[in-house]
Amino acid sequence: MADNLELHEGEVVESEVKGDYWEKTLCMYSQKSGKYWFTNQRILFRGGFTASLDLPYEEIDDVRTCSVGPFIPFMPTGVKVTMKNGKSYKLSVLGRKKIAEYIQSKLS
């Protein structure tokens, strides 16, 4: 497990997968490569020097598959996670359907 991954009390890593986080910058998306950890409480991502996500399932409003890419989304590997506050994140993983179903199963 990564050194920079701090789990909450009672939190357990249920799945670990390499992937990318597509961060929106101005008019395009920037690809950050790293690793996702899906715990019993949240989605964690660590990549590069500064790329980091911490998405608690209780704050997620919607999850669906999508395409990703820098200008025109064309790669069918995306999972769009929309938070209850309206902010959205594009995760890119192999086996996205299984990952999207897993996240959906965690939403209350």
Side-chain angles (χ1 to χ4, degrees), residues 3-31:
D3 296 334
N4 58 354
L5 198 66
E6 292 183 20
L7 299 178
H8 297 153
E9 189 173 323
E11 187 173 19
V12 179
V13 173
E14 297 181 341
S15 180
E16 190 177 312
V17 63
K18 287 183 180 178
D20 299 321
Y21 164 50
W22 288 83
E23 185 175 31
K24 188 155 178 84
T25 56
L26 299 176
C27 62
M28 63 181 274
Y29 282 91
S30 152
Q31 182 180 11

Side-chain angles (χ1 to χ4, degrees), residues 3 10 12 17 20 24-25 42 54 58 60 72 75 77-78 80-81 83-86 88-89 93 97 101-102 107:
D3 296 334
V12 179
V17 63
D20 299 321
K24 188 155 178 84
T25 56
R42 58 195 170 141
D54 181 343
E58 64 196 25
I60 296 174
I72 300 168
M75 293 179 285
T77 60
K80 184 177 182 181
V81 175
M83 308 305 283
K84 290 178 179 172
N85 67 7
S88 64
Y89 301 89
V93 292
K97 187 171 188 271
E101 288 169 355
Y102 171 84
L107 305 186

Side-chain angles (χ1 to χ4, degrees), residues 36-54:
Y36 287 98
W37 288 269
F38 298 92
T39 77
N40 56 333
Q41 298 176 14
R42 58 195 170 141
I43 301 167
L44 297 165
F45 175 80
R46 301 292 182 269
F49 296 108
T50 58
S52 175
L53 283 181
D54 181 343

Side-chain angles (χ1 to χ4, degrees), residues 57-84:
Y57 298 125
E58 64 196 25
E59 294 176 23
I60 296 174
D61 184 50
D62 188 46
V63 60
R64 61 187 64 224
T65 58
C66 67
S67 292
V68 294
F71 296 106
I72 300 168
F74 65 95
M75 293 179 285
T77 60
V79 175
K80 184 177 182 181
V81 175
T82 304
M83 308 305 283
K84 290 178 179 172

